[in-house]
Amino acid sequence: TGFLKGIGQAINLGASILGKHNVGWNVERGADIISQRFEGMSPEWHREHEEAFQQAQNEAKKHFTFCPKCRKWVCDDCWNEQDGLCVDCAPRMSVEVTAARAQKMVDDIKEKAANTQVFKGEIEKMTTVCPQCGKSAGSGKFCNNCGANLSLGVCPKCGVKNAQGARFCSECGQKL
């Protein structure tokens, strides 16, 4: 634990020089928590624990590679073997080409959808003409000019609604 505390203090010193104060403090704080957890253990136990910890770190290092450009340790999945850098510093070409194609396809779909005419009808203002007086009747149930009823008539045979004043049903031909 003294080893961890020393590392934390060294990182804290280096981080303070670089202007990143909380990095070293976090490591030192972690070392304090670990040291409190193992308080009261024998010196042999601490020695064995530090050896086991060192061995675990060495085993874990096999699965990580240090990127010389960004100075980060990355796992094997994030390492670009061809370029000798992490994939953040040297992205894999096949991945970038596939991602660019996918983005282009999405852009093309959106452009095609934006240029597609969906509504083909005409937009016009509809006015109701009164069957009684022949003038514009307004939007109510009765004509604004003469007061005639503008509701649709119902066919007594088939029940379809027909325009007021129609003589025959537009569905079955029944005389109204």
Side-chain angles (χ1 to χ4, degrees):
T1 58
F3 173 71
L4 288 175
K5 208 170 200 180
I7 289 178
Q9 289 170 346
I11 290 174
N12 197 13
L13 176 64
S16 66
I17 291 169
L18 296 173
K20 298 181 178 182
H21 302 287
N22 62 345
V23 175
W25 183 84
N26 287 332
V27 173
E28 192 173 343
R29 176 80 176 115
D32 287 343
I33 291 169
I34 292 171
S35 68
Q36 288 171 2
R37 177 184 283 171
F38 302 131
E39 198 172 300
M41 301 295 212
S42 69
E44 294 84 29
W45 184 92
H46 281 288
R47 193 171 33 259
E48 287 177 14
H49 181 266
E50 285 192 27
E51 287 172 11
F53 185 70
Q54 187 67 37
Q55 183 180 358
Q57 282 181 326
N58 290 336
E59 287 178 22
K61 281 183 182 178
K62 297 175 191 172
H63 303 287
F64 294 90
T65 308
F66 183 74
C67 178
K69 183 175 180 197
C70 67
R71 307 191 53 80
K72 293 180 185 175
W73 287 91
V74 295
C75 66
D76 293 339
D77 290 340
C78 297
W79 183 251
N80 185 335
E81 204 53 53
Q82 291 175 323
D83 294 328
L85 296 171
C86 70
V87 294
D88 287 340
C89 295
R92 292 186 185 103
M93 188 181 350
S94 61
V95 172
E96 294 301 316
V97 167
T98 303
R101 277 187 181 154
Q103 185 59 50
K104 175 69 171 129
M105 182 173 51
V106 169
D107 293 345
D108 288 351
I109 290 169
K110 287 180 179 179
E111 182 181 341
K112 183 76 172 176
N115 294 330
T116 300
Q117 183 179 354
V118 177
F119 178 72
K120 296 182 180 178
E122 293 291 322
I123 299 175
E124 58 185 60
K125 188 175 179 181
M126 300 292 288
T127 57
T128 304
V129 176
C130 176
Q132 200 72 33
C133 67
K135 294 181 180 175
S136 176
S139 60
K141 291 183 180 181
F142 299 94
C143 176
N144 289 342
N145 297 307
C146 69
N149 187 358
L150 298 175
S151 62
L152 299 176
V154 179
C155 174
K157 184 176 178 185
C158 69
V160 170
K161 293 182 179 180
N162 291 281
Q164 199 63 273
R167 293 199 227 172
F168 297 94
C169 176
S170 63
E171 183 67 27
C172 68
Q174 172 74 29
K175 188 173 180 176
L176 300 176

